[in-house]
Structure formats: structure tokens, C-alpha cells
Amino acid sequence: MATLWVTHAPTSASLIRRTVATALSQVSVSEEETCDAALIASELVSNAVRHAPPLPSGHLLVEWDVSGNIFEIAVVDGGGEHEVSIKQAESWDTSGRGLAIVASLADDWGVSVGDGETRVWAKRILSSVPGTTGDRSMSVAG
């Protein structure tokens, strides 16, 4: 499992997008699935920055893994006042589509709340098992 602590700032979404894309391309995940996974990652971070406070350290925790043909990612924040759910954005709205994007790209997603934290996670089943060696898991230091 790769772990990365990022600042509670909008720029962290692009950092996570690039980091996840690089990590997945290194284990031979297809370009299309790498782009989808990176988009899921950046949307989860963007939502945490916009709608929730940071953890007590001032950061967000991002964890991801590829095990077999399953990509999993979770973003942990300091827990928000609002329930995490998909909202219906109007065509003229400039925001409000993040979780809808995650739900459309992921095979499953959800939320766990407890101890002053909110963990929003997503899973994506990849079309093939990444990597060319016997190692079927991804580990990236963050």
C-alpha cells in the first residue's frame, strides 16, 4: 500500500493525479485505466479540500494499492459537517460533479466516518493484472 500525506490545498489534487499516474504506469496498467484511476484520485482529494477540514496534522492522508487486478484508493480528512454524497449539479454549475465522476469511473466507492475522520474510498477493477513479474502488488513510497 502506498501512502502519501498531502497538504490541505487545491494543488494537492494535481500532485496526487501525477503521483498515481506515474505509479500505475510503472506497473504496466493501461494508459486509459491509469488516466481513470488518476482522475478518481484527484477528485477524491479535491472534494476533501473543498468540503472537509484537514486531519489534526493539517494534512490529508491518501492511500492506494493495486492488488491483483484491483486498484483501490482512499482519502482521509478531518471529517466534515456534511454527509458525503453525490449531488445533482445543474448544467451551469461550475462544481458539484466530483463524486459523480468517481462513481462513474469506479466499480465501487463508499464512505466511512469515525473518530473525527472521514475516509472516502473507491475501487476500480482493471482489465488485466498489472506488472510483468510474479509481484502482483504495487508499493510506492510517498
Side-chain angles (χ1 to χ4, degrees), residues 38-117:
L39 181 55
I40 290 168
S42 66
E43 288 298 334
L44 292 178
V45 170
S46 292
N47 285 343
V49 168
R50 179 172 280 221
H51 301 293
L55 293 163
S57 67
H59 295 88
L60 301 171
L61 171 62
V62 183
E63 299 173 315
W64 70 94
D65 190 34
V66 173
S67 182
N69 68 330
I70 298 175
F71 168 74
E72 297 181 65
I73 186 159
V75 175
V76 182
D77 60 48
E81 295 179 14
H82 305 287
E83 178 182 331
V84 178
S85 62
I86 296 175
K87 308 270 187 297
Q88 182 62 43
E90 298 295 334
S91 60
W92 55 83
D93 290 339
T94 58
S95 65
R97 294 171 183 81
L99 281 179
I101 291 169
V102 170
S104 70
L105 294 175
D107 290 293
D108 195 13
W109 74 278
V111 181
S112 352
V113 178
D115 296 328
E117 296 179 353

Side-chain angles (χ1 to χ4, degrees), residues 3-75:
T3 301
L4 189 60
W5 293 88
V6 296
T7 58
H8 187 269
T11 55
S12 293
S14 62
L15 171 67
I16 286 299
R17 185 174 50 251
R18 287 189 312 272
T19 303
V20 166
T22 298
L24 293 180
S25 66
Q26 289 174 349
V27 294
S28 302
V29 172
S30 75
E31 183 177 354
E32 179 182 345
E33 290 180 321
T34 294
C35 289
D36 288 349
L39 181 55
I40 290 168
S42 66
E43 288 298 334
L44 292 178
V45 170
S46 292
N47 285 343
V49 168
R50 179 172 280 221
H51 301 293
L55 293 163
S57 67
H59 295 88
L60 301 171
L61 171 62
V62 183
E63 299 173 315
W64 70 94
D65 190 34
V66 173
S67 182
N69 68 330
I70 298 175
F71 168 74
E72 297 181 65
I73 186 159
V75 175

